[in-house]
Amino acid sequence: MPLDSLTGAMPFYVTTPIFYVNAAPHLGHAYTTIAADVMARHMRQRGEDVFFLTGTDEHGEPVALAAEAQGMTPRELADKNAERFKALMPQLHASNDFFIRTSDPEHEAKVQEVLQRVHDNGHVYKGLYEGWYCPRCADFKSENEQGPGHTCLIHEIELTREQEENWFFRLSTFQKPLEELLQTEFVQPAARRNEAIAFVAQGLQDVSLTRGKITWGVRVPWDPGHVFYVWFDALLNYYTALSYARDGEDITERFWGEPTTHLIGKDILKFHTIYWPALLMAADLPLPRRVFVHGFLLGGDGRKMSKSLGNVLDPFEVIERFGVDALRFYLMRDVSFGEDGSVSMEGVESRYTTELANDLGNLASRTIKMVQRYRDGAVPDVPLDEGLQRDFAALSGDFCRAMDDFRVSDALEVVWERVRRLNAFVEEQAPWQLAKDEARAGDLDRALASLVEGLRTVGVMLVPYLPERMGALLDALNVEDRTLRAFGEGARVERVGDLEPLFPRIDRAAAA
Ligand code: ME8
Ligand code: MG
């Protein structure tokens, strides 16, 4: 894949949801962050102009209630937990370009500006609201969003009956434009788009834009007794961040709209695929290109992860035992991205052993050792094996197409087919046999050169998934240029150096 120069780079903006600071970071938060990071790193390798945003959602009832329960002020709890989410990013090797907190004064001012415009454009009115409310979702639930006895389907807690005078957002007037929007590729994958279509088909009702009962939020400029309902404040983070993320520079024009992809979990589909585009239309702002909705990670028993069921996979424990790259790889590989899937420590261990240590780790160490043993570390500069060349011909295209569609698991499988192909190539060629026969020195040269080029190709492609370990591999191959290049294209590896085992065996007793 030839690389554009920086002048031709396309802006690419990827976001994660901003996470509630009412609790500590967990595997679900890590999952979305890793997937967004894989995409951001991949696009940078293609030479694109990338901005990757994550952060924390600090206002509203979920946080106010949790703070009260812990005998803290909301701000104290937010400060404490925002730090933990901020610290999570380097632990995951996430390469986010900014970390937004919705308590940032710049964010708050911009929220007021945008929502004042929504008001002035005539999309807001005062009315009385009564309904069933989940304080943990910060969401009013319609009849078909409720479990038996007025309970929350997500949090399995009782809903409260709330009545208050609020400012309303005229969501209902966006029925038609939303129906049309949902006929496009705006929501992906298609199964999730159908969920959004079904929701709109029930008929949209106006929604509360403000709350009078709580004070922990962004003040409503035209009615200072109210704060904005947390979801409107939160959704706007994707837009506000661009105005102040870079010191002294407003990058909104560069990244907002067509370059924008929101990555979310399926639990917050309604807000991102219905409320959010309607709000943007009401504020005369461009829409993002797409919302990609991923599935949920479940416990090893296929049930919702919960401490009481004892089926929680702790990301920090995985990192400690297997390394951060193993966590990243496992989550992108074991659960087909977009769908729900069960995860467990046994699953991590099995993928680690069979794929990372055996398939990839062995390929790398064998290849490097053979070049050292038979050619003193110098990679022969000869034409590459034609069969292998054919088997790699479609790789870059297939890989980039999958990535363009945010199919990060499919993209990984496309690479893994070649990892397996290279292992088969070692067996077919049996360089250790060729090395015994002086007359076959040319065949040995070709086999070694082809293996190294194959290893370089997959190594570069896997950097977004395994940034740390592929960094070590490419260092050993003396590859400085880590932009995407097809097999056989451009400068070849000249010398290999020593490489420690990429994925050392984990001693079960020590790990347990
Ligand atoms: O909803 N599997 O924040 P939140 C996969 N603040 N992903 C999961 C998951 C699981 N089991 N559990 C959580 C909020 N996630 C709002 C968002 S955005 C403007 C405001 C991930 O802390 C997934 O991305 O509850 C989900 O959408 C998100 O965490 C919810 O995080
Ligand atoms: Mg949640």
Side-chain angles (χ1 to χ4, degrees):
M1 177 110 339
L3 265 227
D4 290 334
S5 68
L6 270 179
T7 51
M10 297 264 287
F12 179 81
Y13 177 33
V14 63
T15 66
T16 72
I18 47 171
F19 305 117
Y20 282 132
V21 288
N22 56 350
H26 59 65
L27 186 72
H29 301 133
Y31 182 55
T32 316
T33 305
I34 289 168
D37 186 58
V38 165
M39 190 58 66
R41 287 176 182 270
H42 166 74
M43 287 300 175
R44 287 191 202 108
Q45 282 188 308
R46 279 161 70 164
E48 309 300 19
D49 179 22
V50 173
F51 200 80
F52 168 20
L53 180 73
T54 188
T56 43
D57 185 357
E58 306 192 0
H59 291 134
E61 211 150 5
V63 176
L65 286 176
E68 197 180 299
Q70 294 177 46
M72 291 181 177
T73 66
R75 187 171 298 279
E76 282 166 351
L77 180 68
D79 284 345
K80 178 178 148 219
N81 279 337
E83 276 315 309
R84 301 169 76 177
F85 279 96
K86 233 177 185 166
L88 174 70
M89 301 305 151
Q91 283 175 290
L92 298 174
H93 290 179
S95 61
N96 54 300
D97 294 288
F98 189 61
F99 187 98
I100 188 171
R101 297 184 54 183
T102 54
S103 58
D104 292 343
E106 299 92 333
H107 167 78
E108 296 190 6
K110 202 82 181 174
V111 166
Q112 289 178 322
E113 178 194 313
V114 174
L115 293 176
Q116 179 74 54
R117 191 156 70 238
V118 171
H119 171 272
D120 297 347
N121 282 349
H123 299 293
V124 174
Y125 65 95
K126 199 163 204 175
L128 190 70
Y129 196 86
E130 185 167 359
W132 293 100
Y133 182 78
C134 172
R136 299 267 299 280
C137 288
D139 189 17
F140 285 96
K141 304 286 180 177
S142 63
E143 289 299 328
N144 47 21
E145 289 176 298
Q146 296 179 23
H150 303 296
T151 49
C152 171
L153 289 172
I154 295 169
H155 294 102
E156 294 168 358
I157 57 171
E158 276 184 32
L159 302 173
T160 55
R161 189 79 188 162
E162 299 259 343
Q163 194 202 52
E164 68 179 47
E165 192 166 57
N166 276 334
W167 292 94
F168 278 74
F169 172 55
R170 294 187 198 277
L171 181 64
S172 60
T173 60
F174 293 92
Q175 179 85 26
K176 266 255 133 40
L178 286 174
E179 281 170 2
E180 280 164 23
L181 178 67
L182 294 174
Q183 292 309 313
T184 69
E185 308 271 283
F186 181 69
V187 181
Q188 293 174 29
R192 301 294 176 201
R193 181 181 319 141
N194 291 334
E195 279 180 42
I197 290 172
F199 188 88
V200 175
Q202 294 166 25
L204 293 175
Q205 289 175 12
D206 295 342
V207 292
S208 289
L209 177 68
T210 71
R211 305 229 57 202
K213 281 190 186 143
I214 51 176
T215 53
W216 178 237
V218 177
R219 213 147 286 293
V220 176
W222 65 87
D223 185 355
H226 281 240
V227 296
F228 286 112
Y229 173 47
V230 62
W231 268 102
F232 290 101
D233 157 11
L235 286 163
L236 277 164
N237 91 87
Y238 304 128
Y239 176 74
T240 65
L242 296 175
S243 68
Y244 70 98
R246 292 260 171 88
D247 263 345
E249 197 187 353
D250 186 330
I251 53 175
T252 312
E253 285 290 309
R254 192 153 124 220
F255 290 107
W256 184 253
E258 189 51 31
T260 309
T261 293
H262 299 309
L263 180 62
I264 62 163
K266 65 176 186 178
D267 52 333
I268 52 180
L269 175 131
K270 177 177 81 179
F271 300 102
H272 284 79
T273 65
I274 294 162
Y275 290 22
W276 181 222
L279 184 73
L280 288 167
M281 290 177 199
D284 303 319
L285 290 173
L287 302 188
R289 174 156 68 99
R290 61 177 170 178
V291 177
F292 191 96
V293 187
H294 69 64
F296 251 47
L297 301 178
L298 307 169
D301 51 7
R303 296 162 75 181
K304 186 174 171 175
M305 267 190 237
S306 91
K307 289 214 177 87
S308 55
L309 290 174
N311 63 354
V312 173
L313 179 63
D314 177 358
F316 304 104
E317 202 184 324
V318 175
I319 292 173
E320 188 150 310
R321 286 166 69 166
F322 297 95
V324 61
D325 281 5
L327 174 68
R328 296 170 62 104
F329 177 79
Y330 174 69
L331 293 176
M332 297 300 100
R333 178 83 172 136
D334 214 57
V335 177
S336 177
F337 200 65
E339 290 162 34
D340 293 349
S342 299
V343 291
S344 65
M345 199 54 102
E346 292 72 46
V348 178
E349 186 168 346
S350 154
R351 289 280 180 188
Y352 182 88
T353 306
T354 58
E355 296 193 326
L356 291 179
N358 292 352
D359 291 351
L360 182 59
N362 281 349
L363 173 69
S365 63
R366 284 167 109 183
T367 301
I368 285 178
K369 282 201 186 105
M370 289 190 291
V371 177
Q372 290 179 324
R373 181 170 313 143
Y374 304 130
R375 294 293 181 260
D376 267 335
V379 184
D381 187 13
V382 296
L384 302 172
D385 184 88
E386 283 176 11
L388 207 55
Q389 203 134 26
R390 266 196 303 279
D391 292 334
F392 271 70
L395 173 59
S396 290
D398 289 350
F399 184 71
C400 290
R401 257 190 304 282
M403 285 300 213
D404 283 339
D405 296 343
F406 229 121
R407 289 183 286 115
V408 287
S409 303
D410 293 343
L412 196 45
E413 174 55 22
V414 164
V415 183
W416 225 258
E417 279 169 18
R418 272 57 174 208
V419 171
R420 288 190 294 258
R421 177 70 191 97
L422 289 168
N423 278 314
F425 183 78
V426 175
E427 297 306 319
E428 285 161 19
Q429 300 286 314
W432 48 91
Q433 296 291 352
L434 298 176
K436 287 180 190 158
D437 185 352
E438 231 354 272
R440 306 202 59 189
D443 291 339
L444 180 57
D445 280 344
R446 187 176 56 244
L448 294 176
S450 304
L451 272 173
V452 170
E453 178 58 7
L455 191 57
R456 182 202 64 77
T457 310
V458 298
V460 170
M461 281 183 169
L462 291 171
V463 165
Y465 298 87
L466 302 161
E468 209 260 325
R469 299 285 70 205
M470 291 303 96
L473 170 64
L474 295 171
D475 283 348
L477 297 179
N478 299 299
V479 174
E480 272 166 33
D481 174 12
R482 289 167 192 195
T483 53
L484 277 186
R485 262 196 289 127
F487 184 86
E489 205 177 81
R492 298 250 292 270
V493 174
E494 290 171 18
R495 279 205 76 77
V496 301
D498 290 334
L499 177 68
E500 79 261 30
L502 284 176
F503 304 100
R505 285 208 189 287
I506 304 292
D507 182 352
R508 286 200 109 196

